[in-house]
Amino acid sequence: MNWFDKLLDWFSGFTDQWEKHGVKFTLYTTIAILIGGLFELVPPFFLSKTAEPIQNVKPYNALELAGRDVYQKEGCNNCHTQMIRPFKWEVDRFDPQHSYGKDGYSKAGEYVYDHPFLWGSKRTGPDLAHESQIQPSAEWHKTHLINPRDTAKGSIMPAYPWLFEESSIVDASKIADHMRGLQKIGVPYTEEDISSASTLLAGKTAGDALIAYLLKLGRDTAELSKSLQ
Amino acid sequence: MSSSEQKYNDTIVKGFLISGLVWGVASMLVGVWVAFQMVYPELNFGPYFTFGRLRPLHTNAAIFGFALSIIFATGYHTVQRLCRVRIWSDKLAYLHLSLYNLTIIAAAITLPLGLNQSKEYAELEWPLDLMIVIWFVIFLINYFATIFTREEKQLYAAIWFYIASWVTIPILFIVNNLSIPVSWIKSYSVYSGVYDANIQWWYGHNAVAFVLTTPFLGLMYYYLPKHIKQPIYSHRLSIIHFWSLIFLYIWAGPHHLLYSPLPDWLQTTGMVFSIMLWMPSWGGMLNGFLTLTQAKEKIKTDATLKMLLVGLTFYGMSTFEGPLLSIRAVSGLGHNTDWIIGHVHGGTLGWVGMMSFAVIYYLVPRLWNTNLFSEKLANTHFWVATLGILLYIVSMWVSGITEGSMWRAIDETGALKFPNWVQITETLKPYRLFRGIGGGLYLIGLLIMIYNVVRTILNSGSGFKEIDLRIGSKEEKIV
């Protein structure tokens, strides 16, 4: 281990000097942490694979976006993931209709309009990335959200009855503002998309919007796959 | 007032210690509550107190309320002593303390209201993010000005770890929180999809690194040798493990995204660096252990030392488990399951919590110039907390591995063995119940400590006298 000792001598010769100079020490520390960060954060920005939408994938319309806001507000991402891994058992479970053929796992191009991403990190409830293909009934979702035990006995999901109350009617002008914000960071909304907010959201509750969002999840890619099959 | 109080500003240390205790109770109370919500959904009180809204409150209060308070308390305490000067500006320090607590109060209000950015450990909405940047800058100016006016030339190992944390936290925080505000209470991340995931977990994993690891290593490097009155075992080992730790840690983020659409080379990089990280982590643990063995005869009697020992043990355990979980095949089973929750709590309850408690037991008598009210209660706290952690992580290991196995179980025909999700949830119920009980025990331990600390503070000014608790010197023991 002689060479290793020598290496350590050589290295601690430098660091002993740095330890007497606060600025130098701080600077070298910063460089040490920046190298890895830059290496991992910069290149993906230039990879088209992670940035281009799959043909057919469209941004959320006003109602779906309002639903996504509700999803975020209620913290659904704390218990539901939105990322299906390429394992047979995950594809079978989260693409039971085989809408995607053998390829029912998640792909980068499905998420390009997601600000922020909502993959989650804990799967206490099932994955929802392709929820539109698992449970296409809006009525089922409404019953489930009002009291999860009515559709799934033994479920530990909180009940969300207030989402469907009169007081939860969504403010369309707010959603139009949200769409303008997203437009600024690259979501290709047209003026028509934004002006449609008032008609799409007329009289809709947060719960209706959330269901519209759930029924959008995985729909565009599933339709593409079906048209190719 | 003793001479040390005139030379150093200890009021700021006291302020942050008390903040730590308050936010510690808040976060753990919410933690126990959400643990039981996972078994009894009736404990969700809508709309403000459902799991989805309380879970971010729990993590934010624990990381940024409890852990950061302890870090700032020890940061202010150590920097003055290691530089042999008073903190550069008392006013800036108090401003930091007040703005910091205001932010956490605002977080405790806005998160139950459902105002969040949905990024894990970065949930706070943009006005609060701006507030955090303001008081962090105030703190940085004060801290570095103290270092530049120091009377001690050499920067001791403890200070390296604090410096590394102070420079890295703002970089991570600002980059990950860049968002476009659409109203006072709503913003969207400027990044999308896979980019956003990559940046989020670069931040998320390094919050573990530079909020929950490096400052606590700094704390260990100062308080462990101080407490046992022996030097740190190896200065050279400190150098090696410091530089390799901070260089390697920042690469590990993508192990949170294995099997995701993140580019493969990035996933592999994250995995390889995570495995390499095992060595510097254990370097730090070994340096702590070897230092501790110099006072091993005290371990039986000294609660503070026991906490340091258990803290280091859990550090070693979670930094072994982390690289293990970052291996693709293991991640395939463990990812998204309760196993990860167990892993995280091994680190937070075991390492962060125990090291914090040890420091509180060390600091409170000295800062308030009196002896600890009860060594016996400190010892009780130690045992209750340790039992709590063990119950918690063992039940989560069993639950997580059961969960992962049931998800992937396939029968002879190739069909899913447990297609009904609720069946899996029902199976996990008893383990999750034990998790709640374990967390409850840990909270009880904390409450015992707070009682002990309050009684100690009420007795302040009676004079601090160091007591050797070794067997054979029983006559000196106070109860």
Side-chain angles (χ1 to χ4, degrees), chain B residues 131-150:
Chain B
M131 236 170 112
I132 292 170
V133 172
I134 290 168
W135 57 251
F136 211 95
V137 169
I138 292 173
F139 166 67
L140 282 182
I141 293 170
N142 207 3
Y143 194 90
F144 283 104
T146 309
I147 290 183
F148 296 143
T149 54
R150 71 187 185 278

Side-chain angles (χ1 to χ4, degrees), chain A residues 45 50-51 59-60 65 68-69 71-72 82 110-119 178-179 181-189 213, chain B residues 116-119 125 178-180 182 186-197:
Chain A
F45 274 98
T50 58
Y60 303 100
L65 182 67
R68 195 169 201 268
D69 290 348
Y71 189 93
Q72 285 184 250
Q82 285 192 22
E110 295 180 82
Y111 300 102
V112 289
Y113 301 126
D114 285 9
H115 295 265
F117 82 115
L118 291 173
W119 293 357
H178 293 186
M179 293 172 91
L182 286 168
Q183 204 180 24
K184 281 184 206 139
I185 45 175
V187 180
Y189 282 127
Y213 171 65
Chain B
N116 71 73
Q117 299 183 142
S118 311
K119 290 189 132 194
E125 266 300 350
L178 288 180
S179 57
I180 182 121
V182 291
K186 177 82 190 162
S187 64
Y188 294 106
S189 170
V190 298
Y191 317 106
S192 78
V194 178
Y195 285 163
D196 195 44

Side-chain angles (χ1 to χ4, degrees), chain B residues 248-316:
Chain B
L248 295 176
Y249 232 128
I250 215 93
W251 299 75
H255 72 219
H256 290 252
L257 301 169
L258 296 174
Y259 294 108
S260 80
L262 190 75
D264 258 355
W265 62 268
L266 209 52
Q267 294 185 29
T268 307
T269 310
M271 180 177 118
V272 169
F273 276 84
S274 302
I275 295 167
M276 287 202 283
L277 202 48
W278 177 58
M279 286 185 281
S281 301
W282 275 35
M285 178 196 66
L286 284 175
N287 218 358
F289 270 143
L290 293 168
T291 306
L292 214 149
T293 52
Q294 299 175 99
K296 57 176 178 289
E297 74 280 9
K298 283 188 185 175
I299 289 171
K300 277 186 187 164
T301 49
D302 185 334
T304 309
L305 200 58
K306 278 193 243 188
M307 284 178 167
L308 291 168
L309 174 71
V310 168
L312 278 166
T313 310
F314 276 102
Y315 179 58

Side-chain angles (χ1 to χ4, degrees), chain B residues 193-208:
Chain B
V194 178
Y195 285 163
D196 195 44
N198 188 32
I199 286 171
Q200 162 60 30
W201 285 114
W202 166 79
Y203 163 87
H205 196 77
N206 288 301
V208 174

